[in-house]
Amino acid sequence: MNSTDSKVRCVIIGGGPAGLTAALELSRAGVEPIVFEMDKQVGGISRTVDYKGYRFDIGGHRFFTKVDRVHSWWMDILSDEFLVRPRLSRIYYQGKFFDYPLKPKNALLNVGLMEAILVGLSYLKAQAFPYREEKNLEQWVTNRFGKRLFTMFFKTYTEKVWGMKCTEIGADWAAQRIKNLNLGKAALSMLAPKLLTGKNQITTLIEEFYYPRLGPGQMWERVTDMLEERGCPVRLEHRVKTIHRDGEQVIGVTVVDGDGNEERFDADHVISTMPIKDLLNVMDPAPPVDALEAANRLRYRDFLTVGLVIDSPELFPDNWIYIHSPDVKVGRIQNFGNWSPYMIPDKSTSCIGLEYFVQEGDELWTADDEALIELGKKETAKLGLIDPDKVIDGVVIRMPKAYPVYDHGYKENIDSIRGYTDKIPNLHLIGRNGQHRYNNQDHSMVTAMYAAENILGANHDVWDVNVEEEYHEEAHAEKGHGASGERLVPQRVREASPIEILNDAFAKYDPVALGGALGTMLGFVVFLATAGLLLKGGEDAGATLALLGNYFPGYNVTWAGSLVGALWGSIFGYIIGFVIAVGINVTVSIHLGKLLRRLGVLDGPIG
Amino acid sequence: MNKEHFSEDEWKAIGQAIARLRASVMAVTFGIVGGLMLFVATTWLLILGPTGDSEHVGPTLGLLANFFPGYSVSWSGAVVGLFYGALSGAVSGFVLAFVYNLIVVFRKR
């Protein structure tokens, strides 16, 4: 690397959205970075694979962001090349296609009246018999939607994506990931979608999106061209062999090209988007054992797409379909022509991408391409989406380390790794795998922009970048390393802490809720008793019940009196319930205080 | 477990959890109590026999027949009362828990 023309020598590892964004930002500021990408093409998981002119988007990338800076950046790069595409996605379950977001008529027609009633009963049952503990995803979702809806729309797909049972996924993830979605909002979005606008709108329900004419890879191919034009090389098929460190500084990087030639580049700064696990394994001298072991404990979820070219101009109207059926392994199917018609070179054909969520080295990952294409044909035909005889070509694209996994102990691992990397101020970790955080494209780009600005003298915390404001607020509550941004990846169920056990054992009653419940019930009882006597009739009907008038002024056994009685019953019931709850809570607090004092944890009263 | 085991946030969280009611347990409990109460009340009046000038046993409690068809202050009525008491108790317990849980969920949001 010719360093004499640059104020700063910067090596960027990885040619995905984060790496290329950082490179372009630096080059715009007068720095001449060099980018090394291990793959044959740029874009990382946002690349678009070209196969005989058919373009495959790996995972489907809508260009939607709440960060104005990122949106402007995209528009600046591709402006005229962006299409505004309508979104249509459906859920396939038990041989039926459900519109997504759900629409009442479509959902009712698909499930049938009887199943709809069962769904309603299941919801009522969940409200009446909720899981007392909400430790895992199944419990959390069932308590809010009922078991039947959980089974239909949450269970199978989640388990396919993450390779874990819903009972093993912590409820915290559901609370963050699905917190904007409840039956009330879902119903409102079905019945009056215009009422849900702007920031209150549920992200997954957005009906239109920007999309580059030739797929998301077009963005990163264009950025690469711009970098080359500016004299900043982007070298493909270059694997990082060693990152050289001298004391608390990185001083250079040795890369190996596709022919096995090694070359060393000195650097004042290194921006890394490579997986942290790999990064720590190429550091020279090696990191401390605990940091290295922590890095080697990090896990990833991998991904493969089986692309099929079909001799048919139209297949189905969706951009993508979620496959919730447990009888096939495919998790999602993309119809690339519906993302952009320019993705298909021959308009008499179509191409689709069957997405399988896998583990590197497992049965699907290691299966040969022919077998995977056959599996894809078989499963798509089984779903009734294509005629397998019309498949004229196929391709398999494997994407290792597509999703960082937040398993048990992941946070401690990241803390341990950062205990080492944070001491190297000119090593900047950004992007999804660079930070082992399930960033979306825009999120990764913001980390890159911040890192570039840090090199130029700013002082951003790249680990504190969070795209969605509501998540940012949550990050303040728990500010451990890597805490923000963990919203999209499930965590395993963890053991209950002593505090949780104490809280379970000494949970309090909500006085308002108990008052409200008892008030509702007593009001109804008085009303029904009065109405029953009135309907029955007779000379002395209700003479005894009318004695309640001694306590309920204005009450008598008449229709008007039944309403007065209901009101009084509610008031009395509320007061009684409230007092009972407060009484129980005081008793519970006294016992809890005694216990804590006996354990030597508490000196004075609680609170 | 001692004081050092708690962070400031954990300390604040102690005793702040809100209990949920299990509708099934509430229904069974209220059902048993309701059934037994009406059964015992009826049999107690039968054992005491007529009081004062009245020839009838339990004329006031007998008014429950307005709501519980077939009920009377008699030995067979006590069994019918056991059934009705249990039924109305179970329904009350269930509704109470159901409404309570709904309000708790609503207030949490």
Side-chain angles (χ1 to χ4, degrees):
Chain A
M1 181 182 182
N2 182 356
S3 61
T4 53
D5 296 334
S6 300
K7 291 175 190 168
V8 178
R9 299 171 301 173
C10 183
V11 169
I12 297 176
I13 303 169
L20 293 177
T21 301
L24 190 59
E25 290 293 292
L26 285 170
S27 74
R28 282 171 168 170
V31 177
E32 291 180 7
I34 183 166
V35 180
F36 296 110
E37 166 57 46
M38 192 172 73
D39 216 313
K40 289 178 182 173
Q41 69 177 113
V42 294
I45 196 173
S46 299
R47 66 185 163 160
T48 303
V49 175
D50 189 313
Y51 176 72
K52 298 180 183 174
Y54 291 91
R55 293 179 70 88
F56 294 87
D57 175 358
I58 311 302
H61 289 80
R62 286 180 293 149
F63 279 64
F64 167 79
T65 182
K66 290 182 177 178
V67 183
D68 292 340
R69 183 178 177 185
V70 171
H71 182 78
S72 304
W73 204 94
W74 286 338
M75 292 301 143
D76 180 47
I77 303 290
L78 281 185
S79 56
D80 295 341
E81 292 293 296
F82 268 119
L83 308 173
V84 178
R85 300 298 296 165
R87 169 188 169 154
L88 176 64
S89 53
R90 289 184 294 174
I91 292 169
Y92 180 92
Y93 178 72
Q94 286 193 339
K96 301 277 174 55
F97 290 94
F98 294 80
D99 288 340
Y100 183 78
L102 292 169
K103 292 176 183 160
K105 189 178 167 189
N106 168 270
L108 197 62
L109 282 174
N110 272 329
V111 300
L113 187 60
M114 184 53 70
E115 182 64 26
I117 291 169
L118 291 175
V119 165
L121 290 174
S122 159
Y123 173 72
L124 288 177
K125 185 187 170 200
Q127 297 308 307
F129 307 99
Y131 285 109
R132 285 185 73 195
E133 295 177 327
E134 289 183 349
K135 285 186 186 291
N136 61 48
L137 177 72
E138 180 169 334
Q139 291 168 339
W140 194 95
V141 175
T142 302
N143 275 1
R144 280 152 190 81
F145 296 89
K147 191 88 170 187
R148 281 190 106 80
L149 280 179
F150 163 74
T151 307
M152 289 164 81
F153 297 119
F154 291 90
K155 185 177 188 294
T156 312
Y157 187 71
T158 308
E159 290 182 352
K160 279 184 187 178
V161 173
W162 295 108
M164 288 190 262
K165 287 189 178 301
C166 287
T167 49
E168 295 171 358
I169 297 174
D172 291 351
W173 173 71
Q176 292 179 3
R177 184 75 179 102
I178 322 173
K179 73 169 184 179
N180 274 348
L181 190 63
N182 58 44
L183 272 189
K185 274 192 182 174
L188 193 61
S189 75
M190 286 192 282
L191 300 170
K194 286 181 182 170
L195 290 178
L196 288 176
T197 55
K199 287 190 174 179
N200 290 329
Q201 197 165 21
I202 300 163
T203 310
T204 51
L205 306 186
I206 291 165
E207 291 177 351
E208 281 186 336
F209 57 87
Y210 284 102
Y211 194 70
R213 195 170 58 86
L214 296 174
Q218 185 182 8
M219 170 70 70
W220 306 112
E221 288 157 17
R222 174 76 190 116
V223 172
T224 303
D225 291 343
M226 289 169 72
L227 285 166
E228 299 280 3
E229 284 164 15
R230 288 168 172 271
C232 306
V234 177
R235 299 203 179 170
L236 302 177
E237 294 187 85
H238 276 67
R239 182 175 57 81
V240 172
K241 185 187 173 196
T242 310
I243 297 174
H244 305 280
R245 181 169 62 88
D246 182 10
E248 293 184 348
Q249 296 280 318
V250 284
I251 53 170
V253 173
T254 296
V255 295
V256 182
D257 68 16
D259 297 324
N261 303 314
E262 286 187 18
E263 196 172 357
R264 176 173 170 154
F265 294 82
D266 293 336
D268 297 320
H269 287 271
V270 172
I271 294 179
S272 170
T273 71
M274 68 193 288
I276 299 183
K277 184 178 186 172
D278 299 340
L279 174 83
L280 264 69
N281 279 286
V282 296
M283 295 296 290
D284 180 28
V289 176
D290 58 339
L292 195 57
E293 285 178 351
N296 288 329
R297 280 195 294 269
L298 293 178
R299 290 176 55 236
Y300 301 85
R301 187 77 173 144
D302 312 290
F303 178 91
L304 68 83
T305 294
V306 176
L308 298 179
V309 178
I310 297 135
D311 186 18
S312 174
E314 284 185 14
L315 297 173
F316 47 85
D318 312 66
N319 308 100
W320 71 91
I321 299 173
Y322 298 103
I323 308 298
H324 286 217
S325 297
D327 50 340
V328 290
K329 290 177 179 170
V330 61
R332 200 168 50 182
I333 298 178
Q334 307 282 351
N335 188 350
F336 297 114
N338 292 339
W339 284 82
S340 165
Y342 299 97
M343 307 271 275
I344 314 290
D346 178 354
K347 303 301 175 200
S348 67
T349 61
S350 302
C351 77
I352 58 174
L354 282 62
E355 299 174 353
Y356 293 88
F357 303 96
V358 296
Q359 215 64 51
E360 198 171 348
D362 73 7
E363 187 188 357
L364 277 179
W365 183 266
T366 53
D368 65 51
D369 290 2
E370 286 306 314
L372 287 169
I373 291 166
E374 274 310 307
L375 175 72
K377 281 164 66 174
K378 193 174 144 192
E379 292 201 334
T380 327
K382 188 175 182 179
L383 298 172
L385 295 173
I386 63 163
D387 176 354
D389 296 333
K390 289 193 172 179
V391 175
I392 53 177
D393 206 348
V395 62
V396 175
I397 304 147
R398 291 176 175 80
M399 179 56 70
K401 298 186 173 64
Y403 304 105
V405 170
Y406 292 0
D407 53 10
H408 193 63
Y410 129 84
K411 264 188 194 172
E412 289 73 24
N413 291 332
I414 292 292
D415 282 344
S416 177
I417 291 164
R418 286 194 58 192
Y420 165 69
T421 57
D422 284 358
K423 288 177 186 157
I424 309 172
N426 65 339
L427 174 63
H428 309 268
L429 308 187
I430 60 168
R432 177 179 285 194
N433 278 331
Q435 296 188 320
H436 199 79
R437 290 166 59 175
Y438 186 25
N439 299 336
N440 286 328
Q441 185 175 231
D442 55 346
H443 196 167
S444 289
M445 289 175 64
V446 176
T447 63
M449 290 169 176
Y450 279 10
E453 287 173 2
N454 284 347
I455 289 172
L456 299 168
N459 189 26
H460 300 295
D461 182 357
V462 294
W463 292 88
D464 202 27
V465 170
N466 224 326
V467 171
E468 300 202 40
E469 286 172 12
E470 58 265 41
Y471 295 131
H472 197 82
E473 286 164 13
E474 285 169 7
H476 290 301
E478 192 174 4
K479 203 94 173 187
H481 289 161
S484 58
E486 62 192 29
R487 65 200 189 278
L488 297 168
V489 181
Q491 291 179 291
R492 285 189 184 276
V493 175
R494 56 188 173 74
E495 294 297 318
S497 71
I499 296 296
E500 288 168 328
I501 293 169
L502 271 178
N503 273 335
D504 273 354
F506 292 92
K508 289 179 176 173
Y509 288 90
D510 181 342
V512 173
L514 196 59
L518 206 58
T520 305
M521 207 176 72
L522 217 58
F524 262 109
V525 167
V526 175
F527 175 81
L528 289 176
T530 311
L533 292 177
L534 287 169
L535 290 173
K536 196 173 179 191
E539 276 186 22
D540 287 332
T544 309
L545 194 62
L547 293 173
L548 271 180
N550 290 319
Y551 307 101
F552 297 170
Y555 173 75
N556 51 34
V557 184
T558 61
W559 286 110
S562 69
L563 296 177
V564 175
L567 179 65
W568 277 115
S570 302
I571 293 170
F572 269 72
Y574 183 86
I575 293 169
I576 293 167
F578 192 94
V579 170
I580 289 174
V582 170
I584 292 173
N585 291 346
V586 169
T587 312
V588 166
S589 288
I590 291 169
H591 281 281
L592 178 59
K594 276 183 181 174
L595 175 69
L596 293 177
R597 276 190 289 275
R598 207 167 66 209
L599 291 170
V601 174
L602 184 70
D603 301 323
I606 291 180
Chain B
M1 186 169 65
N2 58 44
K3 202 165 187 172
E4 288 71 42
H5 282 101
F6 297 98
S7 69
E8 190 65 24
D9 288 339
E10 285 176 327
W11 186 247
K12 283 179 187 164
I14 290 180
Q16 296 306 309
I18 297 296
R20 299 282 193 94
L21 296 175
R22 294 191 76 166
S24 55
V25 175
M26 289 287 284
V28 171
T29 309
F30 275 52
I32 291 170
V33 172
L36 284 179
M37 271 177 64
L38 192 50
F39 181 81
V40 170
T42 307
T43 52
W44 179 247
L45 290 179
L46 289 169
I47 291 166
L48 283 181
T51 55
D53 297 333
S54 175
E55 294 177 4
H56 299 290
V57 179
T60 308
L61 193 62
L63 291 173
L64 277 179
N66 286 311
F67 308 108
F68 301 155
Y71 173 74
S72 62
V73 183
S74 62
W75 290 106
S76 61
V79 177
V80 175
L82 177 70
F83 168 74
Y84 278 122
L87 184 65
S88 51
V91 171
S92 301
F94 186 92
V95 171
L96 187 70
F98 179 71
V99 177
Y100 172 86
N101 290 336
L102 272 186
I103 296 174
V104 168
V105 169
F106 179 76
R107 275 163 57 77
K108 261 188 168 179
R109 283 171 188 161

